[in-house]
Amino acid sequence: MIQTDRRQILAGLAAVLSLSAAPSALLAQQPEPQQPAPAPPQPRFGFDEVVRRAREISGVPYEPGPTLPEPLSKLDFDSWRDIRFRPDRALLAQNGSPFRMQMFHPGFLFTRPVVVNVVRDGVPTPVPYSASLFDYGKVKFEKPLPVNLGFAGFRLHYALNDPRVLDELISFIGASYFRVLGREQRYGLSARGLTIGAGVPGGEEFPMFREFWVEAPTANAERITVYALLDSASVTGAYRFHIYPDVDSVVDIAVTLFPRKPIEKLGLAPLTSMFFTGENDRRFHDDFRTELHDSDGLMIHSGTGEWIWRPLRNPRQQAVSSFVERNVRGFGLMQRDRVFEHYQDLDLSYELRPSYWIEPLGDWGEGVVELVELPTTDETNDNVVALWAPKTPLEPGREFSFGYKLTAMLDSADLHPGGRIINTYQAKPKALGSGEPVTEGARRFIVDFAGGDLEYHLRQPDKVEIVPSIAYGRIDRAFIVPNPKTQGFRAFIDIVVEPGQVAEMRAFLKSGEKTLTETWSYPWQAES
């Protein structure tokens, strides 16, 4: 009986084991169940995404965006400047990055808050506003500021001058303005993303960067990339800035624009500066400082290869000068005078303010380099604009792309090998102390040429000649004399112009068929 039960138990166990084994065998013959497909990887954020957003918003009506709470919009300059970002809260310090980012607080003139994002591993994240990021100094507010306030802009820091010190490299604040520095430079002129209607009666439209994306740099990075979304009633745009800090810092800029409507006057790669007084324009001279300017001339490298120097002025009324070009090779607002004694300003360091040189990337076609000069009665106003205006208007609904390189430099002597204009003066066309009468509408211009091969040609100065020309006036005489103080030549050009007429003068030096210098270009209006 016991054996029978045992046999039954063993038989039952065998049956259970066979039953439990059968499903495993069956499963072994079945295909593996399909796993759900992994989600496709999200595309890395980049310039294409900014272009897509600019294209999308160009198809909807323009909205100016939020305004600031009243306590911020009523801040004066000194109060706004008293609100400072806390350096210990600077962004971009992860992974040994050599760059740091600080934010500007909204207020004063900066009434349209912008969004600033940091892009890490291809993923953008907005930088949240927090009052703890700032030291408010003496500024007090009755109520806490909104948590979604946003920022006026931002600036990037890098060890430009000393490996132990992070200096300001570039800042983006106000409309589409930005400024960049190289080694031993001090802020002066500004660059802009775009101008619309600069110098046109009826006022200028100011497009603004409404959102930024800053790529978090890696350790030992030699550049940093910023993307920006531009918006205005007339146009939207996507911008990419590759920023290379150096002795002469360089910004490579790519732009794609989407016009919303026809634009009367579009300015590409615009620069804005200040010229109050200089050796060629002494209308304001009641100051111990004899020169006050961020830039003293417009330089152009023509598509034909000619180099042109146009000294800046502080005119009595708005003046516009246009230089017709095809495939212009470069232009810039330059601070050529680097002599401290000419400025005598211990605080503002005009002699250390950078020149900005623009080099087009690709074919810009036909258009004009335009210089707009506005009158100003002090040194606090930016009254000079230089820009490229394409001949063909942009069509609404069609994108337009272009690129250029901006270089911030102190010494521009290496840009071209020829002689340069280093001084422009003007006076009455008569000998000092003489009582000879001066013809109405007559003026003498004195121009110093130096550099290039001019020192070599001082050995045979009679082989060098001046080639002057004038539109809307006449040249009475023009001659040159050696200038051993500059190792070059001084030119004298006497002109006569009808009262009220604006003369356009040009002059360069040559030896035989060889051009030795850049071309001096200058307008002058005879008093009516």
Side-chain angles (χ1 to χ4, degrees), residues 200-405:
V200 173
E204 183 177 347
E205 179 180 321
F206 288 87
M208 68 171 291
F209 291 135
R210 56 184 275 182
E211 189 166 4
F212 294 94
W213 296 263
V214 182
E215 286 194 350
T218 58
N220 304 316
E222 295 182 353
R223 81 172 191 196
I224 187 168
T225 298
V226 174
Y227 306 103
L229 180 63
L230 178 135
D231 196 12
S232 80
S234 298
V235 66
T236 68
Y239 286 69
R240 184 194 64 209
F241 304 88
H242 288 322
I243 304 157
Y244 299 84
D246 209 328
V247 174
D248 295 340
S249 291
V250 173
V251 187
D252 280 335
I253 303 170
V255 184
T256 299
L257 300 177
F258 298 90
R260 280 191 168 103
K261 59 184 181 181
I263 300 173
E264 179 181 356
K265 182 180 174 185
L266 185 70
L268 309 184
L271 305 173
T272 299
S273 191
M274 180 276 293
F275 183 94
F276 180 51
T277 186
E279 80 268 1
N280 61 298
D281 187 336
R282 301 194 184 281
R283 187 157 59 91
F284 297 95
H285 57 271
D286 188 19
D287 198 305
F288 75 96
R289 302 167 299 170
T290 55
E291 296 193 39
L292 297 168
H293 48 74
D294 292 336
S295 309
D296 54 9
L298 167 68
M299 186 161 68
I300 301 171
H301 190 192
S302 170
T304 63
E306 181 184 25
W307 289 88
I308 300 170
W309 177 256
R310 163 62 157 80
L312 299 180
R313 306 169 304 153
N314 181 3
R316 296 181 183 277
Q317 58 188 11
Q318 177 179 301
V320 178
S321 298
S322 298
F323 301 82
V324 179
E325 289 289 336
R326 178 174 178 82
N327 295 333
V328 64
R329 301 184 190 183
F331 70 93
L333 289 177
M334 319 301 284
Q335 183 76 316
R336 189 168 274 184
D337 190 338
R338 298 294 176 188
V339 180
F340 165 78
E341 287 74 17
H342 294 174
Y343 303 99
Q344 290 291 347
D345 197 307
L346 296 173
D347 298 319
L348 299 180
S349 301
Y350 284 106
E351 73 279 4
L352 297 179
R353 301 197 171 192
S355 300
Y356 283 177
W357 180 245
I358 302 294
E359 294 178 82
L361 301 176
D363 183 354
W364 279 17
E366 295 184 76
V368 297
V369 176
E370 189 164 277
L371 177 67
V372 181
E373 296 168 302
L374 303 171
T376 182
T377 56
D378 60 56
E379 61 189 290
T380 63
N381 296 315
D382 283 347
N383 64 318
V384 176
V385 180
L387 55 88
W388 171 259
K391 179 180 179 180
T392 304
L394 274 62
E395 298 182 20
R398 295 187 62 181
E399 67 182 72
F400 172 75
S401 297
F402 65 100
Y404 61 99
K405 181 170 74 172

Side-chain angles (χ1 to χ4, degrees), residues 404-427:
Y404 61 99
K405 181 170 74 172
L406 183 157
T407 304
M409 60 181 67
L410 288 179
D411 185 3
S412 60
D414 292 338
L415 282 178
H416 70 88
R420 307 189 306 158
I421 290 94
I422 60 171
N423 294 308
T424 297
Y425 305 101
Q426 53 176 297

Side-chain angles (χ1 to χ4, degrees), residues 59-269:
V60 299
Y62 171 67
E63 295 183 3
T67 56
L68 288 181
E70 187 173 308
L72 288 176
S73 62
K74 288 188 174 181
L75 290 176
D76 59 21
F77 175 70
D78 290 331
S79 297
W80 174 77
R81 190 174 56 174
D82 206 29
I83 305 175
R84 302 178 182 273
F85 192 90
R86 297 181 184 274
D88 60 314
R89 300 298 302 275
L91 291 82
L92 307 182
Q94 297 90 336
N95 304 322
S97 160
F99 296 88
R100 298 291 184 273
M101 180 167 70
Q102 298 185 13
M103 320 306 290
F104 290 109
H105 201 284
F108 182 48
L109 299 176
F110 311 110
T111 58
R112 298 290 183 185
V114 302
V115 177
V116 181
N117 303 269
V118 174
V119 182
R120 291 189 176 88
D121 299 322
V123 180
T125 303
V127 177
Y129 168 82
S130 172
S132 65
L133 296 174
F134 297 92
D135 179 350
Y136 287 82
K138 299 178 181 179
V139 178
K140 306 295 181 185
F141 300 107
E142 294 182 0
K143 298 179 180 179
L145 297 173
V147 295
N148 61 344
L149 185 61
F151 303 98
F154 67 96
R155 58 187 176 183
L156 298 174
H157 293 246
Y158 183 87
L160 272 175
N161 302 292
D162 185 325
R164 301 163 298 179
V165 179
L166 292 174
D167 304 296
E168 190 164 334
L169 166 65
I170 191 169
S171 66
F172 293 86
I173 182 170
S176 66
Y177 286 80
F178 62 98
R179 300 195 293 178
V180 61
L181 294 174
R183 188 169 299 165
E184 297 182 357
Q185 298 173 14
R186 303 291 184 271
Y187 274 142
L189 79 167
S190 301
R192 297 166 67 178
L194 204 66
T195 62
I196 296 177
V200 173
E204 183 177 347
E205 179 180 321
F206 288 87
M208 68 171 291
F209 291 135
R210 56 184 275 182
E211 189 166 4
F212 294 94
W213 296 263
V214 182
E215 286 194 350
T218 58
N220 304 316
E222 295 182 353
R223 81 172 191 196
I224 187 168
T225 298
V226 174
Y227 306 103
L229 180 63
L230 178 135
D231 196 12
S232 80
S234 298
V235 66
T236 68
Y239 286 69
R240 184 194 64 209
F241 304 88
H242 288 322
I243 304 157
Y244 299 84
D246 209 328
V247 174
D248 295 340
S249 291
V250 173
V251 187
D252 280 335
I253 303 170
V255 184
T256 299
L257 300 177
F258 298 90
R260 280 191 168 103
K261 59 184 181 181
I263 300 173
E264 179 181 356
K265 182 180 174 185
L266 185 70
L268 309 184

